[in-house]
Amino acid sequence: MYGLGILKGLRVTFKHFIDTYIDDFKWGVRRYTTVEGFEARQSPSTTGLVTIQYPEEKMAVPERFRFVPFLVVNDDDHPEAPGHIWCTSCGICAKVCPPQCIWIVRGKDPETGRPVPEPQAFYIDIDICMNCGYCAEFCPFDAIKMDHDYELSSYDRTGHHVYDKEKLSKPLSYWQTIAPTRAEQERLAREAKEAAKSAKKGKRGRG
Ligand code: SF4
Ligand code: SF4
């Protein structure tokens, strides 16, 4: 029958409309004022309205969500090198970046002038970045990761949207908070690599 699809669609909308009132009745004000209420509204099993009151409420993003890269640095309480940046300035991320929005200046030893494995400057134009995640995938040192921070609007494009090394740097603990599973997998992989390296060295030493 002509218009049946429209009626079916309206039925779904109406069902959600009614379910929202049922949920409101069950939860009371807690549905809009507590963390549990927010989680219930965002859960796949919710039946009523899923709308959130942005910016007061923010949608939880999945662990694999990616929005603009950041550079990993050691936490301030690191026993040997607090704040040390993991990037070795190898330049691989800049090479693989499809829109070429990464710019790195390799660090130099002030006395010898020889290159050091650390960037002197590191810039990403986040307006050009398309959040593909290639830089993070290809970095051999786990030094660049995709962030979850999607609130980047500003009135000044030139001043605020070219991120420098300082703005890009975030501690490892931050990465562990936003992507605990990936961070743990990477930690285990790094440890396995280190163990294999030491075993190889030991073998050479004996040989
Ligand atoms: S690939 Fe990793 S280590 Fe190499 S320059 Fe990029 S962030 Fe630094
Ligand atoms: S996420 Fe993609 S576009 Fe953005 S800096 Fe990394 S490689 Fe470039």
Side-chain angles (χ1 to χ4, degrees):
M1 194 180 84
Y2 186 69
L4 194 63
I6 295 174
L7 287 175
K8 274 185 185 167
L10 284 173
R11 190 174 64 89
V12 173
T13 310
F14 188 66
K15 188 178 174 309
H16 273 287
F17 179 70
I18 296 297
D19 282 345
T20 301
Y21 284 102
I22 295 172
D23 278 356
D24 276 1
F25 185 69
K26 271 197 268 178
W27 280 81
V29 286
R30 286 184 307 121
R31 190 163 190 260
Y32 299 96
T33 54
T34 62
V35 177
E36 299 78 45
F38 174 73
E39 281 170 0
R41 268 183 292 144
Q42 288 288 289
S43 95
S45 58
T46 191
T47 48
L49 195 74
V50 294
T51 315
I52 58 164
Q53 305 297 317
Y54 184 83
E56 288 79 18
E57 293 178 334
K58 286 171 196 162
M59 263 179 87
V61 292
E63 190 172 327
R64 293 186 83 88
F65 180 80
R66 35 174 220 259
F67 204 82
V68 177
F70 69 91
L71 295 169
V72 180
V73 300
N74 283 341
D75 280 82
D76 286 340
D77 59 357
H78 190 280
E80 286 137 34
H84 176 70
I85 190 164
W86 288 22
C87 173
T88 63
S89 189
C90 69
I92 290 176
C93 55
K95 260 195 192 131
V96 299
C97 174
Q100 294 287 285
C101 62
I102 300 178
W103 185 53
I104 305 167
V105 179
R106 191 156 209 204
K108 275 187 189 157
D109 187 306
E111 277 166 24
T112 62
R114 290 170 70 90
V116 291
E118 196 174 305
Q120 185 190 316
F122 198 116
Y123 296 97
I124 298 182
D125 187 331
I126 60 152
D127 278 341
I128 296 175
C129 171
M130 58 187 201
N131 303 308
C132 64
Y134 272 22
C135 48
E137 289 299 324
F138 280 89
C139 175
F141 303 97
D142 291 338
I144 188 164
K145 297 288 161 208
M146 296 306 290
D147 210 341
H148 285 185
D149 183 12
Y150 52 83
E151 293 180 312
L152 308 175
S153 53
S154 89
Y155 288 108
D156 180 2
R157 185 203 171 277
T158 38
H160 289 104
H161 287 184
V162 179
Y163 282 16
D164 61 9
K165 190 169 102 172
E166 197 188 344
K167 198 160 182 186
L168 286 167
S169 296
K170 293 191 177 178
L172 174 64
S173 55
Y174 173 74
W175 173 236
Q176 287 165 332
T177 311
I178 64 166
T181 319
R182 293 283 303 274
E184 182 60 9
Q185 285 167 348
E186 287 165 5
R187 187 186 68 78
L188 293 172
R190 277 195 303 275
E191 277 181 10
K193 211 168 154 186
E194 280 304 312
K197 240 191 208 172
S198 312
K200 212 170 166 186
K201 259 189 199 166
K203 238 186 205 175
R204 266 204 220 121
R206 283 196 300 273

